[in-house]
Amino acid sequence: MKGNEAIAEAAIRAGCRHYFGYPITPQTEVAAYMSKRMPKIGGTFLQAESEVAAINMVYGVSAAGKRVMTSSSSPGVSLKQEGISYLAGSDLPALIVNVQRGGPGLGGIQPSQSDYFQATKGGGHGDYHLIVLAPASVQEMADLTGLAFDLADKYRMPSMLLADGTMGQMMEPVELPDKEPEMIEKPWALTGTQMKREHNIVNSLYLDPEELERINFERYERYKKVAENETRYESYMMDDAEICIVAFGIAARVSKNAVNAARQKGVKAGLIRPITLWPFPEKPIAEAADKVKAFISVELSMGQMIEDVKLASSCKKPVYLCNRTGGMIPSFDQVLDAIMNAAGGDK
Amino acid sequence: MTTEILIAGFGGQGVLFAGKFLAYKGLLEGRQLSWLPSYGPEMRGGTASCSMVLSDEPVGSPIIANPDILIAMNLPSMDRYEPTVKPGGVMLADSSLIDRKAERTDIKVFYVPATKLAQEIGTPGLANMIMTGKLIKECGVISYDSVEETLHKIIPASKAAMFEKNLKAIECGYNYE
Amino acid sequence: MAVIFSKPKSLTDAPMHYCPGCTHGIIHRLVAQAIDDLGIEGRTVGVAPVGCAVFAYNYFACDMVEAAHGRAPAVATGLKRANPDNIVFTYQGDGDLASIGTAETVHSATRNENITIIFVNNAIYGMTGGQMAPTSLPGQVTQTSPYGRDTNTVGFPVRVCEMLATLDGPEYVARVAVNNVKNVNQARRAIKKAFENQINGKGFSLIEVVSSCPTNWGMSPQDALKWVDEKMIPYYPLGVFKDRSAAKEGK
């Protein structure tokens, strides 16, 4: 199964019955899959007039209390930022999938991770975060889609699956969940009062600055809980590692091979792979900072996550960048060279 | 054991389909695998390609730098990827479209006039599967068993006629000396 | 004592923030009255715009959501698709609906989305202090057209009803006004019909209400209502521009 199709099928199995999108490469398979399946299961597939309309349709379904998603690629996700900020400001859960391509501007259609800042630092206007999940296999495209819905509902905030073109186009065996999804009550949802309760209001407008400040502080208390409870990462060969690679998505796959090769050459390399990019796995990196000689941030960008690696490690050890951008992927050799250089430079 | 297979050719030569066949074949054999089409930076210079990794362990990177096995369906693909094949690896070349011999001496090379054969046996356009048949025969990565089952998996029932042709092409490649 | 006039149940007790002489109050009342009359308050969900009516979510007693500027029809689409049994309406001004939200308006109409849109056209951006609107009249002086709307440089006003009536999609498109008793009564009937259409599954209904803005027009409320008659209605003629069901029945 292709990564993009895995997302779509996993979303349906997670109880998502509403999908709104707008065509853009390289995530078209998600929409195509949804357009085939949704009508057969009583769901909604709607190709919206724009990315802006699509995300606001998502806003509507979410306000009505139902699981809902949209998917796009980088330029389209930029357009969605208005709606994403409103979702965050109104405490509405939803899943936004970004199968990233190279940028800025129209960029290219090849895989990229250069929307890292946009995804992890908010993206639209205002104080907010999304839960950002970074799959590194087709299996995770499916698993993290389900998780994204659960976490979004649990913490009443939008979540984002931050994938890239490789993950979307790649086929790998995948086991899909066949359990009924657990849905939580949403007493805040707009379903009509049925004349049985006070009217619900879903809103992000607070003209009283003290009130808006209070609400922002409350929201960040919730974010703190997300960071405490939901930070996820994979640690590979880190027990005795002297060189620590930090990489996510396809960059982590390439890096893992390079770690193995470096070990064969006698260099103790390891990998920390963030699965949640927000909340960022600060703790394992902070711990590694006391043990390793150097970090290498492997990215498909000009170096965005590297800033978080530096912050998390308090710059105790050098943090090198090993990167390609614009749609290029760091090669196995490039990552291996970076490891050998980092190891050698310290000797 | 991990085997990295790269199939490259012109768009329209069925490069992706041949890869899909191998991927599903591997799946039926209980192997770990990844299949990555040339939606990617490697797609240039007139070649489309498809990377498969078959392994007994979870697949690391799905991106192949140095394939164990290369199927070159046209000259640009051979020019581009012949130098990348692992020493001791295998290259299969469609000799009806490629008029030069391999430069490498440290790899095993098989020349199969697949495009010509495909026309002769009445399965034009299935040079890809003839090459695949030859790969099964010579490389020992996957077995001939369950070829039919695999074809049933990837050819929709509505295109039953295609099943026979694909099978014929694979057999042709398998038996080509 | 006999009660001869009361507030519709579908309005809350929150005091409205609208300027003296503003017609939003009348239009809110007409919408609430329609909801009361049809007995649908318990299943109605309203979408508030960005603009003067931004606080509509405090005034209507049904479930309410605040949409981003111009996006109300998209939000309403989501609400309606999620819970088709709910009655979903948007309440939008001219900047919201006919400028920044033009695409959402046109496409929800062409999909014949089963929603009700109340479109308040007062030819000006009120909330932000009186800038030129997509519906400001040629020559109209506003904060951002201080020499009068120059159609050579900024083009002509958008006639939303006429534009939408060219589409095959929408069920019902009508323009009404609230500047005198007769017009208010007509508006009341049109708004009710727009909700009935949704209840009966007929699809997209848009009621444009030609309205006044004494504050930003710089007029007394009475003069503003007169200006509606003399300037607005000649440019925005009242009437039904599309009524598919009536047309089918040969009415």
Coordinates of all heavy atoms in Angstrom, one line a residue, chain B residues 75-124:
Chain B
L75 N 19.2 2.8 -22.9 CA 20.6 3.3 -22.8 C 20.8 4.3 -21.7 O 21.8 4.2 -20.9 CB 21.1 3.8 -24.2 CG 22.5 4.2 -24.2 CD1 23.4 3.0 -23.9 CD2 22.9 4.7 -25.6
P76 N 20.0 5.4 -21.6 CA 20.2 6.4 -20.6 C 20.3 5.7 -19.2 O 21.0 6.2 -18.3 CB 19.0 7.3 -20.7 CG 18.5 7.2 -22.1 CD 18.8 5.8 -22.5
S77 N 19.4 4.7 -19.0 CA 19.4 4.1 -17.7 C 20.7 3.3 -17.4 O 21.2 3.3 -16.3 CB 18.2 3.1 -17.6 OG 17.0 3.8 -17.7
M78 N 21.2 2.7 -18.5 CA 22.4 1.9 -18.3 C 23.6 2.8 -18.1 O 24.4 2.6 -17.2 CB 22.7 1.0 -19.5 CG 23.9 0.1 -19.3 SD 23.7 -1.4 -20.3 CE 25.3 -1.5 -21.1
D79 N 23.6 3.9 -18.9 CA 24.7 4.9 -18.7 C 24.7 5.5 -17.3 O 25.7 5.6 -16.7 CB 24.4 6.1 -19.7 CG 24.7 5.7 -21.1 OD1 25.3 4.6 -21.3 OD2 24.3 6.5 -22.0
R80 N 23.5 5.7 -16.8 CA 23.4 6.4 -15.5 C 23.6 5.4 -14.3 O 24.3 5.8 -13.3 CB 22.0 7.0 -15.4 CG 21.8 7.8 -14.1 CD 20.4 8.5 -14.2 NE 19.9 8.8 -12.9 CZ 20.3 9.8 -12.1 NH1 21.3 10.6 -12.6 NH2 19.8 10.0 -10.9
Y81 N 23.1 4.2 -14.4 CA 23.1 3.4 -13.2 C 24.2 2.2 -13.2 O 24.5 1.6 -12.2 CB 21.7 2.8 -13.0 CG 20.7 3.8 -12.6 CD1 19.7 4.1 -13.5 CD2 20.8 4.6 -11.5 CE1 18.7 5.1 -13.2 CE2 19.9 5.5 -11.1 CZ 18.8 5.8 -12.0 OH 17.9 6.8 -11.7
E82 N 24.7 1.9 -14.4 CA 25.7 0.9 -14.4 C 26.9 1.1 -13.4 O 27.3 0.2 -12.7 CB 26.3 0.7 -15.9 CG 27.3 -0.5 -15.9 CD 28.1 -0.5 -17.2 OE1 27.7 0.2 -18.2 OE2 29.1 -1.2 -17.3
P83 N 27.4 2.4 -13.4 CA 28.5 2.6 -12.4 C 28.1 2.4 -11.0 O 28.9 2.3 -10.1 CB 28.9 4.1 -12.7 CG 28.2 4.4 -14.0 CD 27.0 3.6 -14.2
T84 N 26.8 2.4 -10.7 CA 26.4 2.4 -9.3 C 26.2 1.0 -8.7 O 26.0 0.8 -7.5 CB 25.0 3.2 -9.1 OG1 24.0 2.4 -9.7 CG2 25.1 4.6 -9.6
V85 N 26.1 0.0 -9.7 CA 25.9 -1.4 -9.2 C 27.0 -1.9 -8.3 O 28.2 -1.6 -8.5 CB 25.7 -2.4 -10.4 CG1 25.5 -3.8 -10.0 CG2 24.6 -1.9 -11.3
K86 N 26.6 -2.6 -7.2 CA 27.6 -3.1 -6.3 C 28.5 -4.1 -6.9 O 28.1 -4.9 -7.8 CB 26.8 -3.8 -5.1 CG 26.6 -3.0 -3.9 CD 26.0 -3.8 -2.8 CE 25.1 -2.9 -2.0 NZ 23.9 -3.4 -1.6
P87 N 29.8 -4.0 -6.6 CA 30.7 -5.0 -7.2 C 30.2 -6.4 -6.8 O 29.7 -6.7 -5.7 CB 32.0 -4.8 -6.4 CG 31.9 -3.3 -5.9 CD 30.5 -3.1 -5.7
G88 N 30.2 -7.3 -7.8 CA 29.6 -8.6 -7.6 C 28.2 -8.7 -7.9 O 27.5 -9.7 -7.8
G89 N 27.6 -7.5 -8.2 CA 26.1 -7.5 -8.5 C 25.8 -7.9 -9.9 O 26.6 -8.5 -10.6
V90 N 24.5 -7.7 -10.2 CA 24.0 -8.2 -11.5 C 23.4 -7.1 -12.2 O 22.7 -6.2 -11.7 CB 22.9 -9.3 -11.2 CG1 22.3 -9.7 -12.6 CG2 23.5 -10.5 -10.5
M91 N 23.6 -7.0 -13.6 CA 22.9 -6.1 -14.4 C 22.2 -6.8 -15.5 O 22.8 -7.7 -16.2 CB 23.8 -5.0 -15.0 CG 23.1 -4.0 -15.9 SD 24.1 -2.6 -16.3 CE 25.2 -3.3 -17.6
L92 N 20.9 -6.6 -15.7 CA 20.2 -7.1 -16.8 C 19.9 -6.0 -17.8 O 19.3 -5.0 -17.3 CB 18.9 -7.8 -16.4 CG 19.1 -8.9 -15.3 CD1 18.6 -8.5 -14.0 CD2 18.4 -10.2 -15.8
A93 N 20.2 -6.1 -19.1 CA 20.0 -5.0 -20.0 C 19.2 -5.5 -21.2 O 19.3 -6.6 -21.7 CB 21.4 -4.5 -20.5
D94 N 18.3 -4.6 -21.6 CA 17.4 -4.9 -22.8 C 18.3 -4.6 -24.0 O 18.4 -3.5 -24.4 CB 16.2 -4.0 -22.7 CG 15.3 -4.4 -23.9 OD1 15.7 -5.0 -24.9 OD2 14.1 -4.0 -23.8
S95 N 18.8 -5.7 -24.6 CA 19.8 -5.5 -25.7 C 19.2 -5.1 -27.0 O 19.8 -4.8 -27.9 CB 20.7 -6.7 -25.8 OG 19.8 -7.9 -26.0
S96 N 17.8 -5.2 -27.0 CA 17.2 -4.7 -28.3 C 17.2 -3.2 -28.3 O 17.0 -2.6 -29.4 CB 15.8 -5.3 -28.5 OG 15.1 -5.4 -27.3
L97 N 17.3 -2.5 -27.2 CA 17.3 -1.1 -27.2 C 18.7 -0.5 -26.8 O 18.9 0.7 -27.0 CB 16.3 -0.5 -26.1 CG 14.8 -0.9 -26.4 CD1 13.9 -0.3 -25.4 CD2 14.4 -0.4 -27.8
I98 N 19.6 -1.3 -26.3 CA 20.9 -0.8 -25.8 C 21.9 -1.5 -26.7 O 22.1 -2.7 -26.7 CB 21.1 -1.2 -24.3 CG1 20.0 -0.6 -23.4 CG2 22.5 -0.7 -23.9 CD1 20.0 -1.1 -22.0
D99 N 22.7 -0.6 -27.5 CA 23.6 -1.2 -28.4 C 25.0 -1.2 -28.0 O 25.9 -1.4 -28.7 CB 23.5 -0.4 -29.8 CG 23.7 1.1 -29.6 OD1 24.1 1.5 -28.5 OD2 23.6 1.8 -30.6
R100 N 25.2 -1.0 -26.7 CA 26.6 -1.2 -26.2 C 26.7 -2.3 -25.1 O 25.7 -2.7 -24.6 CB 27.1 0.2 -25.6 CG 26.6 0.6 -24.3 CD 27.4 1.7 -23.7 NE 26.9 2.3 -22.5 CZ 27.1 1.8 -21.3 NH1 27.9 0.7 -21.1 NH2 26.6 2.3 -20.2
K101 N 27.9 -2.7 -24.9 CA 28.1 -3.7 -23.9 C 28.5 -3.0 -22.6 O 28.8 -1.8 -22.5 CB 29.3 -4.6 -24.3 CG 29.0 -5.4 -25.5 CD 27.9 -6.5 -25.2 CE 27.5 -7.3 -26.5 NZ 26.3 -8.1 -26.3
A102 N 28.4 -3.7 -21.5 CA 28.8 -3.2 -20.2 C 30.2 -2.8 -20.1 O 31.1 -3.4 -20.7 CB 28.4 -4.2 -19.1
E103 N 30.5 -1.8 -19.4 CA 31.9 -1.4 -19.1 C 32.5 -2.1 -17.9 O 33.7 -2.3 -17.8 CB 32.0 0.1 -19.0 CG 31.9 0.8 -20.3 CD 31.6 2.3 -20.2 OE1 31.6 2.8 -19.1 OE2 31.3 2.9 -21.3
R104 N 31.6 -2.3 -17.0 CA 32.1 -3.0 -15.7 C 32.5 -4.4 -16.0 O 31.9 -5.1 -16.8 CB 30.9 -2.9 -14.7 CG 30.5 -1.6 -14.2 CD 31.3 -1.1 -13.1 NE 31.2 -1.9 -11.9 CZ 30.3 -1.6 -10.9 NH1 29.4 -0.7 -11.1 NH2 30.3 -2.4 -9.8
T105 N 33.5 -4.8 -15.3 CA 33.9 -6.2 -15.4 C 33.7 -7.0 -14.1 O 33.9 -8.2 -14.0 CB 35.4 -6.3 -15.8 OG1 36.2 -5.5 -14.9 CG2 35.7 -5.8 -17.2
D106 N 33.4 -6.2 -13.0 CA 33.2 -6.8 -11.7 C 31.8 -7.1 -11.4 O 31.4 -7.3 -10.3 CB 33.8 -5.9 -10.7 CG 33.1 -4.5 -10.7 OD1 32.4 -4.2 -11.7 OD2 33.2 -3.8 -9.6
I107 N 30.9 -7.1 -12.4 CA 29.5 -7.5 -12.2 C 29.1 -8.5 -13.3 O 29.7 -8.6 -14.3 CB 28.5 -6.2 -12.2 CG1 28.6 -5.5 -13.6 CG2 28.8 -5.3 -11.1 CD1 27.6 -4.4 -13.8
K108 N 28.1 -9.2 -12.9 CA 27.5 -10.2 -13.9 C 26.5 -9.5 -14.8 O 25.7 -8.7 -14.3 CB 26.8 -11.3 -13.1 CG 27.2 -12.7 -13.4 CD 26.3 -13.6 -12.6 CE 26.7 -15.0 -12.5 NZ 25.8 -15.7 -11.6
V109 N 26.6 -9.7 -16.1 CA 25.7 -9.0 -17.0 C 24.9 -10.0 -17.9 O 25.5 -10.9 -18.4 CB 26.5 -8.0 -17.9 CG1 25.5 -7.2 -18.7 CG2 27.3 -7.0 -17.0
F110 N 23.6 -9.8 -18.0 CA 22.8 -10.6 -18.9 C 22.2 -9.7 -19.9 O 21.6 -8.6 -19.5 CB 21.7 -11.3 -18.1 CG 22.3 -12.3 -17.1 CD1 22.5 -11.9 -15.8 CD2 22.6 -13.6 -17.5 CE1 23.0 -12.8 -14.9 CE2 23.1 -14.5 -16.6 CZ 23.3 -14.1 -15.3
Y111 N 22.3 -10.0 -21.2 CA 21.7 -9.2 -22.3 C 20.5 -10.0 -22.7 O 20.6 -11.1 -23.1 CB 22.7 -9.0 -23.4 CG 24.0 -8.3 -23.0 CD1 25.1 -9.0 -22.7 CD2 24.0 -6.9 -22.9 CE1 26.3 -8.4 -22.2 CE2 25.1 -6.3 -22.5 CZ 26.3 -7.0 -22.1 OH 27.4 -6.4 -21.7
V112 N 19.4 -9.3 -22.7 CA 18.1 -10.0 -23.1 C 17.4 -9.0 -24.1 O 17.2 -7.9 -23.7 CB 17.2 -10.2 -21.9 CG1 15.9 -10.9 -22.4 CG2 17.9 -11.0 -20.8
P113 N 17.2 -9.4 -25.3 CA 16.5 -8.5 -26.3 C 15.0 -8.5 -26.0 O 14.2 -8.9 -26.8 CB 16.8 -9.2 -27.7 CG 17.0 -10.6 -27.4 CD 17.6 -10.7 -26.0
A114 N 14.7 -8.0 -24.9 CA 13.4 -8.1 -24.3 C 12.3 -7.5 -25.2 O 11.2 -8.0 -25.4 CB 13.3 -7.6 -22.9
T115 N 12.6 -6.2 -25.7 CA 11.6 -5.5 -26.5 C 11.3 -6.3 -27.8 O 10.1 -6.5 -28.2 CB 12.1 -4.1 -26.8 OG1 12.3 -3.4 -25.6 CG2 11.0 -3.3 -27.6
K116 N 12.3 -6.9 -28.4 CA 12.1 -7.7 -29.6 C 11.4 -8.9 -29.3 O 10.4 -9.3 -30.0 CB 13.5 -8.0 -30.2 CG 13.5 -8.3 -31.7 CD 14.9 -8.3 -32.3 CE 15.2 -9.6 -33.1 NZ 16.2 -10.4 -32.5
L117 N 11.8 -9.6 -28.2 CA 11.1 -10.9 -27.8 C 9.6 -10.6 -27.6 O 8.8 -11.4 -27.9 CB 11.8 -11.4 -26.6 CG 13.1 -12.1 -26.7 CD1 13.7 -12.4 -25.4 CD2 13.0 -13.4 -27.6
A118 N 9.4 -9.5 -26.9 CA 8.0 -9.2 -26.5 C 7.1 -9.2 -27.8 O 6.0 -9.7 -27.8 CB 7.9 -7.9 -25.8
Q119 N 7.7 -8.5 -28.8 CA 6.9 -8.5 -30.1 C 6.7 -9.8 -30.7 O 5.7 -10.2 -31.2 CB 7.6 -7.5 -31.1 CG 7.0 -6.1 -30.9 CD 8.0 -5.0 -31.3 OE1 9.1 -5.2 -31.7 NE2 7.5 -3.8 -31.0
E120 N 7.8 -10.6 -30.7 CA 7.8 -11.9 -31.3 C 6.8 -12.9 -30.7 O 6.1 -13.6 -31.4 CB 9.2 -12.6 -31.2 CG 10.2 -12.0 -32.3 CD 11.6 -12.5 -32.0 OE1 11.8 -13.4 -31.2 OE2 12.5 -11.9 -32.6
I121 N 6.6 -12.8 -29.4 CA 5.7 -13.7 -28.7 C 4.3 -13.1 -28.5 O 3.5 -13.7 -27.9 CB 6.3 -14.2 -27.3 CG1 6.4 -13.0 -26.4 CG2 7.6 -14.9 -27.5 CD1 6.6 -13.5 -24.9
G122 N 4.1 -12.0 -29.1 CA 2.8 -11.4 -29.1 C 2.4 -10.7 -27.8 O 1.2 -10.7 -27.4
T123 N 3.4 -10.3 -27.1 CA 3.1 -9.5 -25.9 C 3.8 -8.1 -25.9 O 4.6 -7.8 -25.0 CB 3.5 -10.3 -24.6 OG1 4.9 -10.4 -24.6 CG2 2.8 -11.6 -24.5
P124 N 3.5 -7.4 -27.0 CA 4.3 -6.1 -27.1 C 4.0 -5.2 -25.8 O 2.9 -5.2 -25.3 CB 3.7 -5.4 -28.3 CG 2.3 -6.1 -28.5 CD 2.5 -7.5 -28.0

